[in-house]
């Protein structure tokens, strides 16, 4: 195991936070992670938000995807960087590589763009499990492959 695998967050994360600090007071496009119990996706608002500040987050937790920094945005929200998929400067959709100020590489590679297995059997098993839970039954879950 290399030192980079042990460190959390990575050195790249801290470099990106410094890039974001240079954007304070400027409009940015934030792509937020939208996770539920059964799926994970992203939300593109499509409108720029002004980055007002970056503050230290006192209780980071890699298991709950809470990073050590919080963004303060002009819409009145504070958003933990662990809940952000990407921040770009001039485009919400398909920004150029040099326009990307922050990217949650682990989420994008391991969750968002990960290979999927989609079959009728998998959908049926997931549906039965969800329906059983709604009806108050506790069947043993089928062996679903990831």
């Amino acid at each position: 195991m290399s030192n980079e695998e042990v460190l959390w967050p990575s050195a790249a994360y801290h470099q990106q936070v410094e890039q974001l600090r240079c954007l304070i007071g400027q409009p940015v496009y934030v792509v937020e992670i939208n996770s539920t119990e059964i799926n994970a996706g992203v939300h593109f608002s499509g409108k720029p938000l002004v980055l007002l500040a970056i503050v230290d987050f006192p209780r980071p937790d890699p298991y709950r995807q809470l990073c050590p920094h919080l963004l303060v945005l002009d819409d009145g929200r504070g958003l933990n960087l662990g809940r952000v998929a990407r921040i770009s400067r001039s485009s919400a959709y398909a920004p150029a590589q040099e326009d990307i100020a922050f990217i949650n590489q682990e989420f994008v590679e391991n969750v968002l763009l990960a290979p999927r297995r989609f079959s009728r059997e998998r959908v049926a098993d997931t549906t039965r499990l969800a329906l059983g839970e709604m009806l108050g039954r506790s069947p043993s879950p089928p062996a679903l492959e990831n």
Side-chain angles (χ1 to χ4, degrees):
M1 187 180 284
S2 71
N3 287 341
E4 189 160 330
E5 291 174 342
V6 174
L7 293 178
W8 181 87
S10 68
Y13 168 85
H14 291 292
Q15 290 171 346
Q16 291 181 90
V17 170
E18 290 309 312
Q19 287 180 336
L20 287 174
R21 288 188 195 283
C22 295
L23 296 176
I24 291 175
Q26 297 180 30
V28 293
Y29 294 88
V30 180
V31 178
E32 296 179 49
I33 296 173
N34 185 12
S35 294
T36 66
E37 287 183 15
I38 60 171
N39 66 10
V42 292
H43 171 72
F44 290 82
S45 71
K47 359 180 238 185
L49 299 168
V50 175
L51 179 61
L52 299 177
I54 299 174
V55 296
D56 292 339
F57 186 70
R59 295 174 56 190
D61 184 352
Y63 297 105
R64 292 180 34 218
Q65 292 90 31
L66 295 176
C67 289
H69 295 93
L70 188 77
L71 303 176
V72 179
L73 303 169
D74 71 335
D75 64 354
R77 294 182 302 143
L79 184 61
N80 188 282
L81 271 176
R83 306 283 193 239
V84 173
R86 183 182 70 211
I87 299 174
S88 57
R89 294 182 190 105
S90 64
S91 174
Y93 307 101
Q97 188 64 33
E98 60 272 2
D99 250 357
I100 298 174
F102 177 85
I103 188 160
N104 188 333
Q105 200 68 37
E106 183 177 334
F107 173 79
V108 170
E109 287 179 3
N110 298 333
V111 178
L112 196 60
L113 301 178
R116 304 283 191 263
R117 292 190 178 156
F118 191 68
S119 67
R120 290 185 183 274
E121 294 79 23
R122 186 166 173 87
V123 171
D125 288 344
T126 303
T127 303
R128 278 189 214 98
L129 190 63
L131 186 57
E133 187 177 308
M134 286 175 21
L135 296 174
R137 297 184 186 134
S138 306
S140 59
L144 297 176
E145 297 175 12
N146 287 331

